[in-house]
Amino acid sequence: MARAMWKGLIALGKQTVAVKMYSAVEDRSIRFHMLHKKDHAPVEQHIIRKDTGEDVRREDIRKAFSLDNDTAVILQPEDLDKLVPPESRDIQLCRFVNATVLGDQWYDRPYYLGPDADEPSYFALARALETTNMIGIARWVMRKKRYIGALTSINGYLALSTMRRADQVLKFAEIEPASNMKPLPNELKLAQQLVSSIEADFNPQLWKNEYRQRLLKLIEARARGEKLTPVKIKKKAAQVSLADSLKASIAAAREKKVA
Amino acid sequence: MPKAKSTYRPKKKTHSVDAPEKTSGAAVRPLWSGTITFGLVSIPVDLLSAVRPRQTAMKLIDKEGHALGRQYRCSKDGKKLVNEDLIRGYETDDGKMVVITDEEFESVAPEMSADINLINFVSADQIPPVYFQKPFYLAPAGKSSKAYNLLVATMEHTGRVGIGNFVMRGHEYLVAIVSDNGVLRADTLRYADEVRTADSIGLPKPSKVASELVNQFSKSITELKRNELSAEELEDRDAEELQALVKAKQKDSSNVVHQHALESDDPESSSDGGAQIIDLMAVLRRSLSKRAVVTNAQSSTPISLDERRASKRATNAKPVIKKKARTRKSRKS
């Protein structure tokens, strides 16, 4: 049983649902210490004055907000305290939209929510989201920071993903390509055939982070005092005309399916 | 002082204070350039960030307003260290430090490749949101955008997204290639072993739900339902509070400092988010359509080169916060 990282209260109209929050992702990146090459001693990071190179004590460090390249407004510790939002356990649902309204680029960090003592309400809300096919937009304060998130249901459970903020996401109005660069009907037909010939279900289990696996092997070998000689794989693709390439690709895909 | 820890990035070493300052020129510099291989069709593309940093990053200064920086030093002899003096060590569970040389890292790094291989196509709604990590735009890079437009149109017609992989800066990425208003986007995906399930967390099995309760929730949901999201609903209130405070403090000149080479408080965020926006616009205009317009979700005002230059001039003459037109790059050079 994973440990909950936070407890909150979903507020929807007059109803509330007590929930526990769990990270939906596991950080599997391999962390290294930085060492001095000569003596393998750990490296320390110091904050220094750029002009003199002198060390600056922690309590003398201030933060500043830049106005332009060389002008900034200095903020004192009490200013930063003022910016801390009031503490709260509420996950306030402000809006619901159809699940298709939110593009993938909005999702930042995913969390699962679990029931906190009130299973009937928890599973009922998950069911309500599922049947209405809606996503809830929520705001909450967690560990002195404000968050915006998307409340969804996954297989009958509630999930809350933090979202990027409005000015972070870049958008386009529909771009119409130049007329001489538009695909021809026969090319489009061939391309669609190619797509259906390599169509599949999304199966993330098929892909492993091979670099991470090789790196772990290397570390294990080095820990035992061994050396490793790795094998490298090379790939190459040919290049002909668009329509010919598409036809050849479809033929190749068919062959693969038969084999 | 805390021990310096880092996730290993083979091609891009952790920056040091001695690194030369970047200039702010409008050089077009994508994060990655390569080719999408779609069957035997090759589509040259430039990869550019589709998101930019929050407008809340701050710089480090001392009490008198002097610019501060970071420096690595050896914990044993106190010597100042540059990138060439550093090596990485992995601490095993029993506390042993295993030193890995750059050459050894190099030997297990993925083969340098400039291909995004489209492995297969899946229905867009099959990918659970928990898999999405970071979005990038793919702009056509070759002389002809025909093959690019063909892939866009094909995905729009079929409602499918491409699943592929590629290598960038020594890391293998799994991506979903989606078509977004006539432009291709590559969203990096998490690997399956990084994603938890309700089962692996240990959540209780779903119990029977009272339809009365479900109906109550459905009613509340419907009351708050809209067809679209407005920008205010997703606005960055932290950034707004911060900028309001800065604006108030700015009136007293004793709060204003003038310094060159201010360092960000977050060493991870020192990427040139602003430059990427300029790139994206220029690249799309040149390669796809003269009428290409990029905006952020908050403002419908286009982010254009000319506008940014004008706003920079205005900012330099009269230091006011222009929230919408300003990006990180114009604050940092």
Side-chain angles (χ1 to χ4, degrees):
Chain A
M1 179 81 195
R3 254 184 54 180
M5 50 161 293
W6 193 71
K7 283 182 177 195
L9 197 67
I10 296 178
L12 170 56
K14 285 190 181 117
Q15 293 145 294
T16 56
V17 182
V19 289
K20 291 179 184 173
M21 199 171 186
Y22 306 86
S23 176
V25 292
E26 221 160 305
D27 185 7
R28 292 202 182 265
S29 50
I30 304 165
R31 309 236 161 225
F32 292 93
H33 292 271
M34 223 132 41
L35 309 173
H36 185 192
K37 209 181 246 176
K38 218 177 73 189
D39 53 15
H40 293 180
V43 165
E44 289 172 345
Q45 204 186 87
H46 290 252
I47 301 292
I48 53 146
R49 244 176 82 169
K50 278 194 174 177
D51 52 350
T52 62
E54 277 168 40
D55 272 14
V56 178
R57 287 179 308 170
R58 190 160 282 273
E59 58 267 34
D60 293 336
I61 298 172
R62 294 287 177 274
K63 286 186 174 185
F65 188 84
S66 297
L67 301 170
D68 58 50
N69 293 343
D70 53 14
T71 312
V73 171
I74 182 166
L75 295 171
Q76 302 299 335
E78 56 269 26
D79 295 324
L80 297 173
D81 287 343
K82 262 188 252 168
L83 293 172
V84 175
E87 228 177 283
S88 167
R89 288 273 161 210
D90 287 351
I91 302 171
Q92 189 67 49
L93 284 164
C94 336
R95 184 63 64 218
F96 285 87
V97 288
N98 199 282
T100 52
V101 168
L102 215 54
D104 316 326
Q105 69 271 50
W106 288 98
Y107 291 97
D108 199 356
R109 223 187 135 74
Y111 296 90
Y112 268 102
L113 298 178
D116 186 14
D118 183 5
E119 284 193 27
S121 296
Y122 174 92
F123 288 113
L125 176 57
R127 176 70 64 81
L129 279 172
E130 217 165 83
T131 49
T132 52
N133 194 28
M134 289 284 151
I135 284 180
I137 305 298
R139 282 186 185 266
W140 74 100
V141 173
M142 183 167 72
R143 291 175 186 156
K144 300 187 176 179
K145 282 182 185 147
R146 289 183 181 85
Y147 289 90
I148 307 176
L151 183 75
T152 56
S153 76
I154 304 176
N155 302 326
Y157 292 95
L158 291 175
L160 183 66
S161 178
T162 63
M163 284 171 67
R164 300 197 163 88
R165 277 68 168 185
D167 61 353
Q168 288 186 267
V169 173
L170 303 176
K171 289 210 307 193
F172 301 101
E174 181 80 43
I175 293 176
E176 185 71 16
S179 54
N180 61 335
M181 288 296 161
K182 277 184 187 163
L184 302 169
N186 70 319
E187 289 169 346
L188 199 54
K189 213 179 132 197
L190 285 166
Q192 286 178 8
Q193 276 179 40
L194 176 55
V195 165
S196 41
S197 72
I198 51 174
E199 204 174 301
D201 283 332
F202 178 64
N203 182 4
Q205 305 291 345
L206 287 179
W207 298 287
K208 303 272 178 271
N209 190 337
E210 286 164 14
Y211 169 60
R212 196 167 60 209
Q213 289 169 351
R214 288 195 300 269
L215 193 52
L216 275 176
K217 259 194 197 150
L218 169 71
I219 291 166
E220 281 163 18
R222 295 293 292 117
R224 290 192 302 263
E226 299 165 20
K227 292 243 171 192
L228 252 184
T229 10
V231 194
K232 294 202 174 185
I233 323 115
K234 280 193 178 177
K235 314 157 197 164
K236 201 77 208 149
Q239 172 84 287
V240 256
S241 90
L242 200 50
D244 287 346
S245 298
L246 288 168
K247 281 180 196 156
S249 311
I250 294 165
R254 275 202 194 118
E255 232 162 72
K256 226 189 232 167
K257 262 196 178 165
V258 173
Chain B
M1 276 288 162
K3 272 185 203 166
K5 252 190 171 186
S6 87
T7 307
Y8 182 64
R9 291 183 188 85
K11 294 291 167 256
K12 196 184 157 202
K13 286 209 172 179
T14 325
H15 72 266
S16 84
V17 286
D18 295 317
E21 295 295 336
K22 280 180 197 138
T23 52
S24 67
V28 173
R29 197 160 51 86
L31 297 168
W32 184 88
S33 288
T35 310
I36 301 175
T37 56
F38 171 44
L40 299 173
V41 180
S42 297
I43 307 167
V45 287
D46 287 333
L47 184 109
L48 308 121
S49 181
V51 288
R52 43 180 198 169
R54 289 178 72 187
Q55 307 294 297
T56 52
M58 289 189 265
K59 312 286 173 180
L60 296 181
I61 54 170
D62 71 2
K63 277 180 176 168
E64 287 81 40
H66 297 105
L68 304 183
R70 288 162 216 273
Q71 191 177 73
Y72 291 124
R73 271 183 232 162
C74 176
S75 59
K76 211 183 260 173
D77 59 18
K79 234 187 89 185
K80 179 182 136 189
L81 304 175
V82 293
N83 279 337
E84 288 68 39
D85 302 322
L86 302 177
I87 196 162
R88 283 167 180 82
Y90 180 87
E91 199 177 347
T92 59
D93 292 341
D94 49 9
K96 207 168 110 185
M97 191 66 83
V98 182
V99 173
I100 307 287
T101 64
D102 287 356
E103 292 71 34
E104 284 169 327
F105 273 115
E106 203 68 48
S107 75
V108 294
E111 182 74 32
M112 284 282 284
S113 158
D115 286 338
I116 299 180
N117 297 302
L118 279 179
I119 303 158
N120 54 33
F121 285 86
V122 305
S123 177
D125 52 15
Q126 274 195 1
I127 309 175
V130 292
Y131 277 91
F132 292 107
Q133 201 159 24
K134 202 172 158 33
F136 297 91
Y137 281 117
L138 294 169
K143 285 188 204 105
S144 161
S145 62
K146 229 177 147 179
Y148 181 96
N149 291 330
L150 175 64
L151 185 57
V152 169
T154 307
M155 294 209 287
E156 255 154 34
H157 280 274
T158 56
R160 298 289 180 269
V161 304
I163 301 292
N165 59 14
F166 78 110
V167 176
M168 174 168 69
R169 290 179 183 161
H171 280 259
E172 288 171 4
Y173 291 92
L174 188 61
V175 284
I177 310 268
V178 304
S179 111
D180 176 1
N181 284 314
V183 178
L184 294 177
R185 211 177 61 222
D187 293 339
T188 60
L189 299 175
R190 297 188 168 92
Y191 286 94
D193 64 352
E194 293 171 308
V195 173
R196 289 182 179 157
T197 61
D199 211 33
S200 70
I201 291 169
L203 296 183
K205 292 266 171 286
S207 50
K208 271 216 171 122
V209 292
S211 55
E212 176 60 22
L213 213 46
V214 177
N215 290 342
Q216 278 177 28
F217 280 123
S218 298
K219 204 172 154 248
S220 306
I221 289 172
T222 315
E223 276 165 16
L224 287 168
K225 190 200 149 178
R226 290 280 185 288
N227 290 331
E228 302 257 333
L229 274 174
S230 72
E232 299 94 76
E233 281 160 333
L234 304 175
E235 73 193 354
D236 191 340
R237 291 193 187 150
D238 288 318
E240 276 169 18
E241 298 250 322
L242 173 63
Q243 287 166 10
L245 178 67
V246 166
K247 215 168 194 173
K249 295 213 70 165
Q250 198 190 342
K251 289 176 188 140
D252 182 347
S253 64
S254 68
N255 294 324
V256 180
V257 291
H258 298 279
Q259 273 296 331
H260 289 290
L262 289 168
E263 178 115 344
S264 170
D265 63 339
D266 174 10
E268 295 294 313
S269 76
S270 52
S271 66
D272 1 353
Q276 290 155 23
I277 296 161
I278 296 172
D279 290 353
L280 188 58
M281 278 291 294
V283 169
L284 291 177
R285 282 234 166 101
R286 196 182 58 229
S287 58
L288 276 178
S289 160
K290 286 196 170 62
R291 286 171 296 153
V293 170
V294 182
T295 62
N296 65 25
Q298 189 153 35
S299 74
S300 52
T301 331
I303 304 163
S304 77
L305 250 178
D306 292 343
E307 191 191 348
R308 281 172 47 88
R309 285 203 194 99
S311 92
K312 199 166 177 179
R313 274 197 299 273
T315 315
N316 286 343
K318 197 173 70 149
V320 287
I321 299 170
K322 285 194 81 182
K323 194 180 100 199
K324 278 170 186 167
R326 224 161 35 81
T327 66
R328 291 181 59 80
K329 189 65 185 185
S330 60
R331 286 196 269 118
K332 179 176 184 280
S333 65

